[in-house]
């Protein structure tokens, strides 16, 4: 028996947009080069992330993303998205899915782009940061 798929809704990609200090940040690889070009003014090529200094700029980007099949969550409470790892541990796999990285004397702290990335980081030896978080 063959099922009809005419009413199947295509899966939308989810993006978390984090408030860190005065910036709104997200990390995403776009298959569609036109979306990337439209957001290029906000791309920090050194940190591989998109940064928005105002809510107006952020809102314009979110409208563009919505029109192109993306859903988003605005995340102001970073709890649950931040992991830490000993400074002497391997961290490349964790770094690629992080939005922000901070080094202290003994550890590296990462804001992960989504909860799946947090789970992966934990499986690689990272610990979820509890309590107050400042990045």
């Amino acid at each position: 028996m063959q099922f009809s798929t005419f009413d199947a809704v295509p899966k939308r990609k989810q993006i978390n947009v984090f408030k860190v200090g005065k910036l709104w940040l997200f990390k995403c690889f776009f298959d569609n080069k036109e979306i990337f070009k439209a957001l290029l003014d906000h791309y920090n090529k050194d940190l591989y992330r998109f940064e928005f200094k105002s809510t107006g700029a952020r809102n314009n980007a979110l409208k563009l993303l919505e029109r192109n099949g993306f859903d988003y969550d605005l995340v102001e409470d970073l709890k649950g998205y931040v992991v830490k790892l000993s400074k002497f541990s391997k961290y490349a796999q964790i770094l690629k899915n992080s939005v922000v990285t901070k080094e202290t004397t003994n550890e590296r702290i990462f804001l992960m782009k989504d909860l799946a990335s947090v789970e992966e980081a934990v499986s690689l030896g990272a610990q979820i940061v509890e309590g107050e978080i400042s990045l």
Side-chain angles (χ1 to χ4, degrees):
M1 173 181 252
Q2 199 169 28
F3 293 98
S4 172
T5 58
F6 72 91
D7 61 349
V9 177
K11 184 170 166 97
R12 295 171 63 88
K13 188 165 182 177
Q14 182 72 31
I15 296 176
N16 290 318
V17 184
F18 297 96
K19 181 153 185 163
V20 179
K22 294 182 179 182
L23 294 176
W24 287 91
L25 312 169
F26 74 85
K27 187 176 226 178
C28 183
F29 174 79
F30 294 107
D31 294 329
N32 181 333
K33 291 180 182 181
E34 294 304 313
I35 298 172
F36 181 79
K37 285 180 187 177
L39 296 172
L40 188 58
D41 289 344
H42 302 284
Y43 188 68
N44 182 325
K45 65 180 179 176
D46 296 325
L47 298 173
Y48 305 103
R49 68 184 185 201
F50 294 90
E51 303 176 346
F52 304 92
K53 295 178 182 173
S54 71
T55 54
R58 179 207 67 194
N59 290 345
N60 288 338
L62 296 178
K63 287 177 191 172
L64 172 79
L65 292 172
E66 273 187 311
R67 288 192 307 267
N68 285 280
F70 290 85
D71 288 327
Y72 62 86
D73 279 327
L74 299 177
V75 181
E76 293 188 57
D77 181 3
L78 305 181
K79 192 172 186 174
Y81 290 96
V82 180
V83 299
K84 64 183 177 180
L85 195 62
S86 164
K87 192 169 186 176
F88 306 104
S89 299
K90 292 182 180 181
Y91 65 97
Q93 192 69 21
I94 295 171
L95 182 64
K96 77 175 190 163
N97 289 320
S98 69
V99 180
V100 177
T101 305
K102 178 181 176 180
E103 272 191 44
T104 67
T105 306
N106 298 318
E107 57 195 11
R108 289 186 173 91
I109 300 169
F110 305 89
L111 171 62
M112 305 308 291
K113 69 179 186 173
D114 54 33
L115 293 175
S117 297
V118 171
E119 287 180 28
E120 181 181 0
V122 168
S123 75
L124 293 169
Q127 295 177 308
I128 296 175
V129 174
E130 301 293 335
E132 278 299 306
I133 301 160
S134 65
L135 294 171

Short mmCIF file of all heavy atoms in Angstrom, two decimals, residues 50-102:
data_model
loop_
_atom_site.label_atom_id
_atom_site.label_comp_id
_atom_site.label_asym_id
_atom_site.label_seq_id
_atom_site.Cartn_x
_atom_site.Cartn_y
_atom_site.Cartn_z
N PHE A 50 27.04 34.31 13.51
CA PHE A 50 26.32 35.52 13.15
C PHE A 50 26.09 36.32 14.43
O PHE A 50 25.73 35.76 15.47
CB PHE A 50 25.00 35.18 12.48
CG PHE A 50 25.19 34.50 11.15
CD1 PHE A 50 25.28 33.12 11.06
CD2 PHE A 50 25.31 35.25 10.00
CE1 PHE A 50 25.48 32.50 9.84
CE2 PHE A 50 25.51 34.64 8.77
CZ PHE A 50 25.60 33.26 8.69
N GLU A 51 26.31 37.64 14.34
CA GLU A 51 26.19 38.53 15.50
C GLU A 51 25.30 39.71 15.16
O GLU A 51 25.45 40.32 14.10
CB GLU A 51 27.56 39.07 15.90
CG GLU A 51 28.58 38.02 16.20
CD GLU A 51 29.97 38.57 16.51
OE1 GLU A 51 30.22 39.78 16.24
OE2 GLU A 51 30.79 37.82 17.02
N PHE A 52 24.40 40.04 16.06
CA PHE A 52 23.49 41.16 15.88
C PHE A 52 23.59 42.07 17.09
O PHE A 52 23.41 41.63 18.22
CB PHE A 52 22.06 40.65 15.68
CG PHE A 52 21.96 39.69 14.54
CD1 PHE A 52 22.11 38.33 14.75
CD2 PHE A 52 21.80 40.15 13.25
CE1 PHE A 52 22.06 37.44 13.69
CE2 PHE A 52 21.76 39.27 12.18
CZ PHE A 52 21.89 37.92 12.40
N LYS A 53 23.88 43.35 16.82
CA LYS A 53 24.08 44.31 17.90
C LYS A 53 22.79 44.98 18.33
O LYS A 53 22.73 45.60 19.37
CB LYS A 53 25.10 45.36 17.46
CG LYS A 53 26.47 44.76 17.25
CD LYS A 53 27.47 45.77 16.76
CE LYS A 53 28.81 45.09 16.52
NZ LYS A 53 29.78 45.95 15.90
N SER A 54 21.75 44.87 17.51
CA SER A 54 20.47 45.50 17.87
C SER A 54 19.34 44.50 17.66
O SER A 54 19.45 43.57 16.85
CB SER A 54 20.22 46.74 17.00
OG SER A 54 19.93 46.37 15.67
N THR A 55 18.25 44.72 18.37
CA THR A 55 17.10 43.84 18.20
C THR A 55 16.47 44.03 16.83
O THR A 55 15.92 43.09 16.26
CB THR A 55 16.05 44.05 19.31
OG1 THR A 55 15.71 45.42 19.37
CG2 THR A 55 16.56 43.58 20.65
N GLY A 56 16.58 45.24 16.28
CA GLY A 56 16.06 45.49 14.93
C GLY A 56 16.77 44.64 13.89
O GLY A 56 16.13 44.01 13.04
N ALA A 57 18.10 44.63 13.94
CA ALA A 57 18.88 43.81 13.00
C ALA A 57 18.58 42.33 13.21
O ALA A 57 18.43 41.57 12.25
CB ALA A 57 20.37 44.10 13.18
N ARG A 58 18.48 41.93 14.47
CA ARG A 58 18.15 40.54 14.77
C ARG A 58 16.79 40.17 14.22
O ARG A 58 16.62 39.13 13.58
CB ARG A 58 18.18 40.33 16.29
CG ARG A 58 17.83 38.91 16.71
CD ARG A 58 17.23 38.83 18.09
NE ARG A 58 15.92 39.48 18.13
CZ ARG A 58 15.30 39.80 19.24
NH1 ARG A 58 15.86 39.58 20.41
NH2 ARG A 58 14.10 40.36 19.20
N ASN A 59 15.80 41.03 14.44
CA ASN A 59 14.44 40.74 13.97
C ASN A 59 14.36 40.65 12.45
O ASN A 59 13.65 39.81 11.91
CB ASN A 59 13.46 41.79 14.49
CG ASN A 59 13.24 41.66 15.99
OD1 ASN A 59 13.58 40.64 16.59
ND2 ASN A 59 12.69 42.69 16.59
N ASN A 60 15.10 41.50 11.74
CA ASN A 60 15.13 41.42 10.28
C ASN A 60 15.70 40.08 9.83
O ASN A 60 15.20 39.46 8.89
CB ASN A 60 15.95 42.57 9.68
CG ASN A 60 15.24 43.89 9.79
OD1 ASN A 60 14.01 43.96 9.93
ND2 ASN A 60 16.00 44.97 9.77
N ALA A 61 16.76 39.62 10.50
CA ALA A 61 17.36 38.33 10.16
C ALA A 61 16.38 37.19 10.46
O ALA A 61 16.26 36.25 9.67
CB ALA A 61 18.65 38.14 10.95
N LEU A 62 15.67 37.28 11.56
CA LEU A 62 14.72 36.23 11.93
C LEU A 62 13.57 36.14 10.93
O LEU A 62 13.13 35.04 10.59
CB LEU A 62 14.19 36.46 13.34
CG LEU A 62 15.24 36.37 14.46
CD1 LEU A 62 14.60 36.66 15.81
CD2 LEU A 62 15.95 35.03 14.46
N LYS A 63 13.12 37.27 10.42
CA LYS A 63 12.07 37.28 9.39
C LYS A 63 12.57 36.58 8.13
O LYS A 63 11.85 35.79 7.51
CB LYS A 63 11.64 38.71 9.07
CG LYS A 63 10.81 39.35 10.16
CD LYS A 63 10.49 40.79 9.82
CE LYS A 63 9.90 41.50 11.00
NZ LYS A 63 9.74 42.94 10.77
N LEU A 64 13.80 36.88 7.75
CA LEU A 64 14.40 36.23 6.58
C LEU A 64 14.49 34.72 6.78
O LEU A 64 14.14 33.94 5.88
CB LEU A 64 15.80 36.81 6.32
CG LEU A 64 16.60 36.10 5.24
CD1 LEU A 64 16.13 36.55 3.86
CD2 LEU A 64 18.07 36.38 5.39
N LEU A 65 14.92 34.31 7.95
CA LEU A 65 15.03 32.89 8.25
C LEU A 65 13.67 32.20 8.21
O LEU A 65 13.54 31.12 7.63
CB LEU A 65 15.70 32.67 9.60
CG LEU A 65 17.17 33.07 9.68
CD1 LEU A 65 17.67 32.99 11.12
CD2 LEU A 65 18.03 32.22 8.76
N GLU A 66 12.67 32.83 8.81
CA GLU A 66 11.31 32.25 8.80
C GLU A 66 10.80 32.05 7.38
O GLU A 66 10.22 31.01 7.06
CB GLU A 66 10.35 33.17 9.55
CG GLU A 66 10.30 32.92 11.03
CD GLU A 66 9.21 33.74 11.69
OE1 GLU A 66 9.13 34.95 11.45
OE2 GLU A 66 8.44 33.14 12.46
N ARG A 67 11.01 33.04 6.53
CA ARG A 67 10.56 32.95 5.13
C ARG A 67 11.28 31.84 4.37
O ARG A 67 10.81 31.40 3.33
CB ARG A 67 10.76 34.27 4.40
CG ARG A 67 9.80 35.36 4.81
CD ARG A 67 9.83 36.55 3.86
NE ARG A 67 11.17 37.09 3.65
CZ ARG A 67 11.71 38.10 4.35
NH1 ARG A 67 11.02 38.68 5.29
NH2 ARG A 67 12.92 38.52 4.08
N ASN A 68 12.42 31.42 4.89
CA ASN A 68 13.23 30.41 4.21
C ASN A 68 13.23 29.06 4.92
O ASN A 68 14.16 28.26 4.76
CB ASN A 68 14.66 30.93 4.02
CG ASN A 68 14.73 31.95 2.92
OD1 ASN A 68 14.75 31.61 1.75
ND2 ASN A 68 14.73 33.23 3.29
N GLY A 69 12.20 28.80 5.71
CA GLY A 69 12.01 27.47 6.28
C GLY A 69 12.70 27.19 7.60
O GLY A 69 12.91 26.04 7.95
N PHE A 70 13.05 28.23 8.35
CA PHE A 70 13.71 28.05 9.64
C PHE A 70 12.79 28.49 10.77
O PHE A 70 12.04 29.46 10.62
CB PHE A 70 14.99 28.89 9.72
CG PHE A 70 16.10 28.40 8.84
CD1 PHE A 70 16.16 28.78 7.51
CD2 PHE A 70 17.07 27.54 9.33
CE1 PHE A 70 17.17 28.33 6.68
CE2 PHE A 70 18.08 27.09 8.51
CZ PHE A 70 18.14 27.48 7.19
N ASP A 71 12.86 27.77 11.87
CA ASP A 71 12.23 28.18 13.11
C ASP A 71 13.35 28.62 14.04
O ASP A 71 14.51 28.21 13.86
CB ASP A 71 11.47 27.03 13.76
CG ASP A 71 10.20 26.68 13.00
OD1 ASP A 71 9.57 27.60 12.42
OD2 ASP A 71 9.84 25.49 12.98
N TYR A 72 13.02 29.43 15.03
CA TYR A 72 14.06 29.90 15.94
C TYR A 72 13.52 30.00 17.36
O TYR A 72 12.32 30.11 17.58
CB TYR A 72 14.61 31.27 15.50
CG TYR A 72 13.56 32.35 15.50
CD1 TYR A 72 13.29 33.07 16.66
CD2 TYR A 72 12.83 32.64 14.36
CE1 TYR A 72 12.32 34.06 16.67
CE2 TYR A 72 11.86 33.63 14.37
CZ TYR A 72 11.61 34.33 15.52
OH TYR A 72 10.63 35.30 15.53
N ASP A 73 14.45 29.93 18.29
CA ASP A 73 14.16 30.18 19.70
C ASP A 73 15.10 31.28 20.16
O ASP A 73 16.31 31.21 19.88
CB ASP A 73 14.40 28.95 20.56
CG ASP A 73 13.25 27.97 20.52
OD1 ASP A 73 12.10 28.41 20.39
OD2 ASP A 73 13.51 26.76 20.62
N LEU A 74 14.57 32.27 20.85
CA LEU A 74 15.39 33.31 21.47
C LEU A 74 15.75 32.82 22.86
O LEU A 74 14.87 32.53 23.67
CB LEU A 74 14.64 34.63 21.54
CG LEU A 74 14.22 35.22 20.19
CD1 LEU A 74 13.43 36.50 20.39
CD2 LEU A 74 15.42 35.47 19.31
N VAL A 75 17.04 32.70 23.14
CA VAL A 75 17.50 32.12 24.39
C VAL A 75 18.28 33.18 25.18
O VAL A 75 19.35 33.60 24.75
CB VAL A 75 18.40 30.89 24.14
CG1 VAL A 75 18.87 30.28 25.47
CG2 VAL A 75 17.69 29.86 23.28
N GLU A 76 17.69 33.60 26.30
CA GLU A 76 18.37 34.57 27.17
C GLU A 76 18.98 33.88 28.40
O GLU A 76 19.97 34.34 28.93
CB GLU A 76 17.41 35.68 27.59
CG GLU A 76 17.00 36.55 26.40
CD GLU A 76 16.21 37.77 26.80
OE1 GLU A 76 16.73 38.57 27.61
OE2 GLU A 76 15.08 37.93 26.30
N ASP A 77 18.35 32.80 28.84
CA ASP A 77 18.88 32.02 29.97
C ASP A 77 19.74 30.90 29.38
O ASP A 77 19.23 29.96 28.79
CB ASP A 77 17.74 31.45 30.79
CG ASP A 77 18.21 30.67 32.00
OD1 ASP A 77 19.44 30.59 32.24
OD2 ASP A 77 17.36 30.10 32.70
N LEU A 78 21.04 31.01 29.54
CA LEU A 78 21.98 30.08 28.92
C LEU A 78 22.12 28.76 29.66
O LEU A 78 22.79 27.84 29.17
CB LEU A 78 23.36 30.75 28.81
CG LEU A 78 23.39 32.10 28.09
CD1 LEU A 78 24.81 32.65 28.04
CD2 LEU A 78 22.79 32.00 26.70
N LYS A 79 21.47 28.64 30.81
CA LYS A 79 21.58 27.43 31.62
C LYS A 79 21.16 26.21 30.79
O LYS A 79 20.13 26.21 30.13
CB LYS A 79 20.69 27.54 32.85
CG LYS A 79 20.95 26.47 33.86
CD LYS A 79 20.21 26.73 35.15
CE LYS A 79 20.61 25.72 36.17
NZ LYS A 79 20.04 26.02 37.47
N GLY A 80 22.01 25.19 30.83
CA GLY A 80 21.75 23.97 30.08
C GLY A 80 22.45 23.93 28.74
O GLY A 80 22.56 22.88 28.13
N TYR A 81 22.92 25.09 28.26
CA TYR A 81 23.61 25.17 26.97
C TYR A 81 25.12 25.34 27.13
O TYR A 81 25.84 25.39 26.14
CB TYR A 81 23.08 26.34 26.14
CG TYR A 81 21.69 26.14 25.63
CD1 TYR A 81 20.58 26.64 26.30
CD2 TYR A 81 21.46 25.43 24.44
CE1 TYR A 81 19.31 26.47 25.82
CE2 TYR A 81 20.19 25.25 23.96
CZ TYR A 81 19.11 25.77 24.66
OH TYR A 81 17.85 25.58 24.18
N VAL A 82 25.59 25.48 28.37
CA VAL A 82 27.01 25.77 28.60
C VAL A 82 27.67 24.55 29.23
O VAL A 82 27.18 23.97 30.19
CB VAL A 82 27.18 27.00 29.52
CG1 VAL A 82 28.65 27.29 29.76
CG2 VAL A 82 26.49 28.22 28.90
N VAL A 83 28.82 24.17 28.63
CA VAL A 83 29.59 23.04 29.13
C VAL A 83 31.03 23.48 29.39
O VAL A 83 31.49 24.49 28.85
CB VAL A 83 29.57 21.84 28.17
CG1 VAL A 83 28.15 21.33 27.96
CG2 VAL A 83 30.23 22.17 26.84
N LYS A 84 31.72 22.69 30.21
CA LYS A 84 33.13 22.99 30.49
C LYS A 84 33.94 21.72 30.33
O LYS A 84 33.43 20.61 30.46
CB LYS A 84 33.30 23.58 31.88
CG LYS A 84 32.92 22.65 33.01
CD LYS A 84 33.06 23.34 34.36
CE LYS A 84 32.61 22.40 35.48
NZ LYS A 84 32.73 23.03 36.78
N LEU A 85 35.21 21.95 30.05
CA LEU A 85 36.13 20.86 29.81
C LEU A 85 37.48 21.27 30.36
O LEU A 85 37.84 22.46 30.30
CB LEU A 85 36.23 20.65 28.29
CG LEU A 85 36.85 19.39 27.73
CD1 LEU A 85 36.05 18.16 28.15
CD2 LEU A 85 36.86 19.47 26.21
N SER A 86 38.22 20.33 30.89
CA SER A 86 39.57 20.62 31.36
C SER A 86 40.38 21.26 30.24
O SER A 86 40.25 20.89 29.07
CB SER A 86 40.25 19.33 31.80
OG SER A 86 41.65 19.51 31.90
N LYS A 87 41.19 22.24 30.59
CA LYS A 87 41.98 22.97 29.60
C LYS A 87 42.92 22.04 28.83
O LYS A 87 43.32 22.34 27.72
CB LYS A 87 42.77 24.08 30.28
CG LYS A 87 43.37 25.06 29.33
CD LYS A 87 43.90 26.24 30.07
CE LYS A 87 44.39 27.29 29.11
NZ LYS A 87 44.82 28.47 29.81
N PHE A 88 43.24 20.90 29.41
CA PHE A 88 44.19 19.99 28.79
C PHE A 88 43.52 18.85 28.03
O PHE A 88 44.19 17.97 27.51
CB PHE A 88 45.14 19.46 29.86
CG PHE A 88 45.80 20.58 30.61
CD1 PHE A 88 45.40 20.91 31.89
CD2 PHE A 88 46.77 21.36 30.01
CE1 PHE A 88 45.98 21.97 32.58
CE2 PHE A 88 47.36 22.43 30.68
CZ PHE A 88 46.96 22.74 31.96
N SER A 89 42.20 18.89 27.90
CA SER A 89 41.46 17.88 27.16
C SER A 89 41.36 18.26 25.69
O SER A 89 41.44 19.43 25.33
CB SER A 89 40.03 17.75 27.72
OG SER A 89 40.06 17.37 29.06
N LYS A 90 41.14 17.25 24.85
CA LYS A 90 40.90 17.52 23.44
C LYS A 90 39.53 18.19 23.33
O LYS A 90 38.57 17.75 23.97
CB LYS A 90 40.92 16.23 22.63
CG LYS A 90 42.30 15.60 22.56
CD LYS A 90 42.28 14.36 21.70
CE LYS A 90 43.67 13.76 21.64
NZ LYS A 90 43.71 12.57 20.79
N TYR A 91 39.46 19.22 22.49
CA TYR A 91 38.20 19.97 22.45
C TYR A 91 37.73 20.34 21.04
O TYR A 91 36.70 20.99 20.87
CB TYR A 91 38.31 21.24 23.29
CG TYR A 91 39.32 22.25 22.76
CD1 TYR A 91 38.90 23.31 21.98
CD2 TYR A 91 40.67 22.12 23.05
CE1 TYR A 91 39.82 24.23 21.50
CE2 TYR A 91 41.58 23.04 22.57
CZ TYR A 91 41.15 24.09 21.80
OH TYR A 91 42.06 24.99 21.32
N ALA A 92 38.42 19.94 20.01
CA ALA A 92 38.08 20.34 18.64
C ALA A 92 36.65 19.96 18.27
O ALA A 92 35.92 20.76 17.66
CB ALA A 92 39.06 19.74 17.64
N GLN A 93 36.23 18.76 18.63
CA GLN A 93 34.87 18.29 18.29
C GLN A 93 33.81 19.15 18.98
O GLN A 93 32.77 19.43 18.42
CB GLN A 93 34.74 16.82 18.69
CG GLN A 93 33.51 16.14 18.16
CD GLN A 93 33.53 15.95 16.66
OE1 GLN A 93 34.58 15.97 16.03
NE2 GLN A 93 32.37 15.79 16.08
N ILE A 94 34.10 19.59 20.20
CA ILE A 94 33.16 20.43 20.95
C ILE A 94 33.16 21.85 20.38
O ILE A 94 32.12 22.47 20.21
CB ILE A 94 33.51 20.42 22.45
CG1 ILE A 94 33.31 19.01 23.01
CG2 ILE A 94 32.68 21.44 23.22
CD1 ILE A 94 33.81 18.80 24.41
N LEU A 95 34.34 22.34 20.04
CA LEU A 95 34.48 23.70 19.52
C LEU A 95 33.65 23.93 18.26
O LEU A 95 33.05 24.98 18.10
CB LEU A 95 35.96 23.99 19.24
CG LEU A 95 36.30 25.38 18.73
CD1 LEU A 95 35.98 26.43 19.78
CD2 LEU A 95 37.78 25.44 18.34
N LYS A 96 33.57 22.95 17.39
CA LYS A 96 32.87 23.15 16.12
C LYS A 96 31.37 23.40 16.30
O LYS A 96 30.74 24.01 15.44
CB LYS A 96 33.12 22.00 15.15
CG LYS A 96 32.34 20.76 15.45
CD LYS A 96 32.55 19.71 14.38
CE LYS A 96 31.56 18.59 14.60
NZ LYS A 96 31.39 17.75 13.48
N ASN A 97 30.80 22.96 17.41
CA ASN A 97 29.37 23.18 17.67
C ASN A 97 29.12 24.24 18.73
O ASN A 97 28.01 24.36 19.23
CB ASN A 97 28.70 21.87 18.08
CG ASN A 97 28.58 20.91 16.93
OD1 ASN A 97 28.28 21.32 15.81
ND2 ASN A 97 28.83 19.65 17.18
N SER A 98 30.15 25.01 19.05
CA SER A 98 29.97 26.05 20.07
C SER A 98 29.78 27.41 19.41
O SER A 98 30.27 27.67 18.31
CB SER A 98 31.17 26.09 21.01
OG SER A 98 32.31 26.57 20.35
N VAL A 99 29.04 28.26 20.10
CA VAL A 99 28.79 29.62 19.62
C VAL A 99 29.78 30.59 20.27
O VAL A 99 30.24 31.54 19.63
CB VAL A 99 27.34 30.04 19.96
CG1 VAL A 99 27.05 31.45 19.48
CG2 VAL A 99 26.35 29.05 19.36
N VAL A 100 30.11 30.35 21.53
CA VAL A 100 31.05 31.18 22.29
C VAL A 100 31.99 30.25 23.04
O VAL A 100 31.56 29.21 23.55
CB VAL A 100 30.31 32.09 23.31
CG1 VAL A 100 31.29 32.89 24.15
CG2 VAL A 100 29.33 33.00 22.62
N THR A 101 33.26 30.65 23.12
CA THR A 101 34.25 29.91 23.89
C THR A 101 34.98 30.87 24.82
O THR A 101 35.28 31.99 24.43
CB THR A 101 35.29 29.25 22.96
OG1 THR A 101 34.62 28.45 22.00
CG2 THR A 101 36.27 28.41 23.73
N LYS A 102 35.24 30.40 26.02
CA LYS A 102 35.98 31.21 26.99
C LYS A 102 36.99 30.30 27.69
O LYS A 102 36.67 29.17 28.03
CB LYS A 102 35.00 31.79 28.01
CG LYS A 102 35.62 32.62 29.10
CD LYS A 102 34.54 33.12 30.06
CE LYS A 102 35.13 33.86 31.23
NZ LYS A 102 34.09 34.34 32.14
#
